[in-house]
Amino acid sequence: MSSSPDLAANVPAPSASLQAGLARSLLGLALRGAARLAKMLAVLLAIAIVNFLLIHLAPGDPATVLAGQSGAADPQFIAQLRHSFGLDRPLLVQLWLYLRHIAMLDLGTSYTQDRPVLGLILDRLPATLLLTGAAFAFALIAGIALGALAARRAGKATDTAVTILALAFYATPIFWVGLMLVLVFSVWLGWLPSFGMETVGAGYRGLDHWLDVGRYLILPALTLGLFYMAVYARLTRAAMVEVAGQDFIRTARAKGLTEGRILRRHILRNALLPVVTFAGIQAGQLIGGSVLVEAVFAWPGIGQLAFNALLARDYPVLLGVFLCTAAMVVVFNLATDLLYRLIDPRMAP
Amino acid sequence: MRTVLRAMARNRGALGGAIFLALVLALAAFAHVLFPQSPWDMAGAPFTPPGQDGFLLGTDSLGRDVAAGIAYGARVSLLIGAVSTLAALAIGVGLGALAGYAGGLIDDALMRVTEFFQTIPSFILAVVLVAIFSPSLASIVGAIAIVSWPPVARVVRAEFRTLRAREFVQAAEVQGRSRASIVCREILPNALPPIVVLASLMVASAILLESALSFLGLGDPNLMSWGFIIGAGRSVIQLAWWVSVFPGIAIFLTVLALNLLGEGLGEALDPRLRQGTRL
Amino acid sequence: MQDGITRRQALAAGGLAALGLMRVAEAEAAGIAPKRGGLLQSVITPEPPILILGVNQQAPTLEVGSKIYQGLLEFSETLEPKPLLAKSWEISADKTRYTFHLQPGVLWHDGEKFTADDVIFSIMQFNMTLAPRARAVFASIKSATAPDPMTVVLTLAQPFEPFLLMFDVTATPMMPKHIYDGTDYRTNPHNQTPIGTGPFQLDHWQRGSFIRLKRFEKYWKPGQPYLDGIVYRVIPDSQSRALALQTGQIALTSGNDIEPFDIPRFRAMPTLAIETKGWEMFSPLAWLELNNRVKPLDDVRVRQAISHAIDRKFIAERLWFGTAKPATSPIASTTRYHDPAAHLQDYDPKKAMALLDEAGLKPGAGGVRFTLRHLELPYGEVWTRLSEYIRAALGKIGIALTMESTDPGGWASRMSNWNYDTTINYLYQFGDPTLGVERSYVSSNIKKVVFTNTEGYSNPEVDALFAKARVAPDTASRRKDFYAVQKLLIEQVPVVWLIELTFPTIHKKTLHDVITLGTGVQGCFDDVFLA
Amino acid sequence: MSLLAVEHLSIALPPGGDRAHAVEDVSFTLEPGRVLCLVGESGSGKSVSAGAIMGLLPQALRPQSGTIRFEGEDLLAATPARLRSLRGARIGMVFQEPMTVLNPLMRIGDQIGEMLLAHRWAARALGPVKARIAALLEAVHLPDPGRIARAYPHALSGGQRQRVMIAMAMALEPSLLIADEPTTALDVTTQMQILRLLADLQRRRGTAVLFITHDFGVVAEIADDVAVMRHGRIVEQGTARQVLAAPAHPYTQSLIAAALHEGAPRIAAAADAAELLGVERLCKTYARAGIFTRTRARRALDSVSLSLRRGETYGLVGESGSGKSTLARSIVRLVQPEAGAIRLAGVDLRPLGRAAWKPFRKRVQMVFQDPFASLNPRMRVGEAIAAGPIAHGMARAAALARAADLLALVQLDPAAAQRFPHEFSGGQRQRIGIARALALEPELLIADEPVSALDVSVQAQILALLEDLRVRLGLTMLFITHDLRIAAQICDRVAVMRNGAIVEEGVTAQVFSHPAHAYTAALLDSVPGRNWRQGGAHG
């Protein structure tokens, strides 16, 4: 050896890049954070503008609706309502006012409920977060477990069974699953409550309260989660099969590792990365799905709030819910991105 | 092409899916022969259970034949699924191709727009669009297309970017070919397989989306669609389970068939998968 | 008649306890004594935006708010006034001066005393500002005075026979002057914590989930209310509500809570009682509204043909499962001045087709004579089914309907812009044709506002009859005019009346005295009990 | 007793393949401490043989008959658990593609440590794990072993990763190391370092090595014994000295000839011929700019100048990333440099737009590296060739007729025009690529690594074809390659590129025999089999 040992050292050592990287990494992280934040704000601004314009394109305005609901109306009454909502001002002015208020977290006041929109949303948000969070956790855990099972037994009966199950839930309308679950577990078997979020008037406290909520949570969370479970199961299976075919798995075998360790330490870890990333991005869509589920199960979340607001033409509420869900998606994406950077060393600054 | 067909035929799921879809298409095409009366007609007594009085799948709360509804609904579901997918493809392929081929600032701008549309929860956006432009065939198709194009754009852009860097495309560039010729003859034919696969899956999700909209009462009131029947039947589910169960099964099977077909196509068109890499 | 009522009420009001005792007696006769205690679980659909009556007049607000607020009077199932916050009243001989004697010892939920000032504020300020319906009537009040803290005198410019009907809580709730005077009523911070005189006060409102009311301990009727409280759960999905009722999680539903097709199921349940009474004050009447400006709907023969083509019995029995009655007149049968002899065009498709032929509208390709747009009423499923029925029924006589669906906002907007051919509409009649029927047919009310004469029907004869009946002081002459106008309208078919809605109230049989008034579940519930 | 004895091994391919067996009746032995090179082109069955020894064959492949004896034990009869305990501990393995063989989510140290832990019984004698890892990394000459152990694979270069793999394979001091084309994916200088490292370790530890390669240069560098495989069979085996000096089988002879790149002696083009292509101070920087993101600029071309005379073949050599491909692509406007000039017969092409460039397309054509990627899989071969002339206004029928002629020119059946690319082998496809380039009758032909993706035996044919065409058609050629042996064979003049700049330029023989720049010397020193080559060339 050693006819040219210096050449080996010539190749840039990781130490150099690591050292230099460390110094720059803080700056880099800060810059990237700022970039992310700016992008996030730009997206939110765009969403606010688009939603505002979209909803103002709608025929009919809230004053007419309110007037209609009061049982009788005269033009003076409608004009008065329009004025008090600022609907008689130019659209651009309304938009500008709206954006200015948003900047101060003032999402306006609900036409029909006479309360600040932010308050309405914050009232409902925990319910939606609980539902989507539970559904997401269930979907992710069950999906990954099923996917891993299928991948491990690829080509066998278990694989086929899991694949069929996943396809079935993937192909079934979410609301229909909800209806069928209610039919079976509430109507026929009477095991679980079919609607609402808690036993009202029962006055449960502490643990009892959460157990109570848990019982109410099972069906809606299942309904929302089953579809995504199917998605994650399919993804996990595909990712694992793909990773299993990669060179470093052959390396692991050549090292004499047991199959179990190869599965856990090499295949699963690498396969889960894309699955979790995708799931994080998908989490935003869960909020959309929750509209249907909240409608079927009378779950008092923001999905229901949005749908009712839409039917009643309650613009500020609708805009608020949109902005809020979009913000949640953006935040979720950001969190996923950061998580991804944490887990995947290749993305480290 | 023949190898693709042969590969598909070997895939039992895809074959089953294709056969079932052919049946659904036949049902849609011959709905007026099988059920000469309009599906809206009150054909019998309300809530006739399946099998009675000659109603194979029973009747609903107005005495309308559920079987006729499903047959005519097949037309609507497939039509909406197909048309909205075509519309989404038109937008997605157009923008994706432009972004992927042009690159640079155009790519950046288009991708921001795509990201933006992916950020808004798509179902809520669809609901808002349909509600605002009031439910009709056009608004439903439009809304579904608008929420479904971003994945197409991303896939097409990715394909275009890879293909654009491929040597045969560069060779065409060096030959002095026009941009149109390069895009249409070199890139697009090679980008088609993933688009075709995506399209079959999109038809499936469009059918699901339409049914969800109808379920919330946002369907076209002049069209008998499966989602509408479930929506109309869900409130009587304890009284007449068949009204919502059968169209639900129709949606389920059709979407399943489309997914199987899509996967089969995907495997058949992807030579890597065709060899059947398994764990 | 008018004097009669007054006298009888004065007598009854003489002993308030007697009224309570009478109820108790009724219950005891059935072997059940009123019992104090128990929480009533009910449901509210949709969730009311606010509980301040007057600021909002929607049915859900009224249902909950009527437990918190009260009116001067309440009305029996035959729409006769009964004392509430006014223990008695007198009407002058010329029918222009009304004197109300207030119930003593009434407290607001915050402990303040209820006085004549509150009454005058509620009538002349609060409701005049907020409620268009009240404004229309109270505009003719010449003076409102309080000779003493327990007496209110209202003087009208001219006689107005249905005046007393305006003092139900659903029309003119009594509001606390000390909270609202001089503020913007809509944005008053107290709007989140309603203060009324009713038997119940707001305990907790979990938005999107439930509203819980608790007993007001200082309620002016001793020993009442019997219930500890009422919980209104918010359950937007009708099937979930039906399930809740079926499983016993809720004990009372009303209005549209339960869809008509579920009624037969509940009728079969021995633990539940179904009542269709309690809507007399509102007597909602549903019709197929025809835009009289649109050809060929401007031809009376065409309108008659449509009326002949519709089987109202089918609608009442198949769509509403017997909870609705076929309409027989523009004035609902439960309302004052309904003509029992009136009847609408018979169900006769052949005659309908003959009329259309006569109007020169021959069937074209596919048997279609002409095509109309039909705007669906976006108030729930059964209304969609009704539209679907009407399309099928009109299709049989060669009229094709193209359905258009929209949300309540879009519907209201299209209605107020007269941008429709046909649609479904239903209106409350508020107990008297002048209050609830006139507005839909007189030409002076053709406005670009929803719930006016949006169909654009104009007939000087009809206008004259309604105008005459409005100011006529005695019931007999009013009856004559209203009978005449009914006959005229039925012949002219400005809209095609379909059914009288009687929303079923379903409650557990252990819940007593639920429906005792013409306002049904919009009564104050101070005598409702669980046993 | 031999350390490894493979006897009459046959491994069946799944039905439907182009042949029945991946490996058929293969026998060879490997003695302790010796290096056996298993030589063959792609598909010869050499990697499958190695996989069979490790028990790492794909599920579709199953040994049918024969035995594999390792230290006397029949591996084909061993249980999976037994095989597992041998793998890593007694038999180490190094793979071809260093970029993908390491788990991207695991630290280097953990990946080595994991193996030590898996064979605790074998590792126990070797001391504490952490110290052992550091010692191993040190032994493969990786700088700062502590830091490397903590690093993730992506922070390491390909050569460094291959060193890690070797460290891992040697960690438990196995008696057999299987190295499956361990240097093929590396640049020449790195390749030589790795070969030397392997040789050194092997010598010091006495490990026997089964070395799989396609390159007789590498064989000459490292082998004690050689077995040549073709179509799943061993066609010749013997000691390295014997086989290299006197190959008996014609196939072996052709492989060796190809590795030596012996061709007709160059007839240098007239030194005074006119300049066809002049490149002056060309600069190209790849930058990803963003508003907030840090701008990472990479200088791909750093003020490059060169000049091609009519009729000559000009070689551009360098390792990957040296900028040679960027230069080639700049000349045909696939890449747009930001400064400098590209003059074709005196006209500066750089500032020209797409349309203005079009007439020059006919004069400059290019042959691409990867014959599998350079043809549109969905276009008939004839169409692909004719598309260029059609774009320049030739009638379709005429263009298609010409395509058939061109196919004949590159020694393919003109009927091939009707077929799709996937029906052809790599060499045939490269011929089609050449036909396509010639369809426009260019003056300048740029060949970007035209043979590097081909098997050695095919390389020689394509190079011969190019040379023949160049002479017949009077082409000027810019030939880009990383392989100095090829450059030496066909180029009149060469330029050596490194980090985007030309470090040395001159007449080929002059540059290669008396390199002026240290880097050129290092490159030359790294050519595998250079000593044997010189020996071969001189006698």
Side-chain angles (χ1 to χ4, degrees), chain C residues 283-509:
Chain C
S283 299
L285 181 69
W287 63 71
L288 173 66
E289 187 154 322
L290 306 172
N291 191 337
N292 284 237
R293 305 167 190 87
V294 173
K295 281 195 186 310
L297 296 176
D298 54 344
D299 186 332
V300 67
R301 287 168 299 189
V302 174
R303 301 201 297 268
Q304 285 166 348
I306 292 173
S307 185
H308 276 300
I310 289 166
D311 184 354
R312 295 176 177 82
K313 233 176 92 194
F314 182 94
I315 296 174
E317 280 167 17
R318 288 296 165 79
L319 267 53
W320 264 265
F321 292 83
T323 62
K325 283 193 300 184
T328 57
S329 155
I331 298 174
S333 62
T334 45
T335 309
R336 307 160 85 195
Y337 307 113
H338 168 76
D339 179 2
H343 78 277
L344 303 175
Q345 284 78 6
D346 299 322
Y347 173 55
D348 188 349
K350 279 206 189 80
K351 190 162 178 198
M353 287 192 271
L355 278 164
L356 290 176
D357 287 340
E358 193 188 313
L361 298 157
K362 303 285 186 201
V368 175
R369 297 170 194 268
F370 57 95
T371 303
L372 292 171
R373 296 177 298 158
H374 179 83
L375 189 61
E376 289 180 2
L377 182 66
Y379 283 2
E381 238 197 285
V382 69
W383 298 103
T384 310
R385 293 293 95 75
L386 177 58
S387 289
E388 286 163 10
Y389 167 76
I390 286 172
R391 170 166 57 180
L394 296 191
K396 282 197 178 124
I397 62 163
I399 303 175
L401 291 191
T402 307
M403 310 293 265
E404 295 174 324
S405 71
T406 176
D407 55 297
W411 184 83
S413 154
R414 300 255 318 247
M415 286 295 281
S416 48
N417 285 305
W418 308 336
N419 177 16
Y420 70 100
D421 293 352
T422 63
T423 186
I424 306 284
N425 198 354
Y426 74 89
L427 258 67
Y428 285 178
Q429 301 211 326
F430 300 122
D432 189 282
T434 296
L435 295 177
V437 177
E438 180 191 303
R439 57 181 171 152
S440 302
Y441 307 104
V442 295
S443 55
S444 59
N445 207 31
I446 297 181
K447 292 177 182 163
K448 288 215 159 185
V449 171
V450 70
F451 301 138
T452 58
N453 180 355
T454 41
E455 76 269 16
Y457 175 73
S458 168
N459 184 339
E461 228 178 312
V462 170
D463 292 351
L465 284 169
F466 273 119
K468 208 164 134 237
R470 173 173 269 271
V471 294
D474 66 304
T475 45
S477 72
R478 292 188 81 211
R479 181 176 294 120
K480 197 173 121 259
D481 294 335
F482 284 133
Y483 279 23
V485 88
Q486 281 174 75
K487 191 154 171 280
L488 199 58
L489 285 173
I490 288 172
E491 191 190 298
Q492 288 282 308
V493 204
V495 301
V496 180
W497 302 280
L498 300 171
I499 46 169
E500 294 180 8
L501 298 166
T502 49
F503 300 112
T505 303
I506 309 178
H507 60 86
K508 283 189 184 166
K509 285 187 175 157

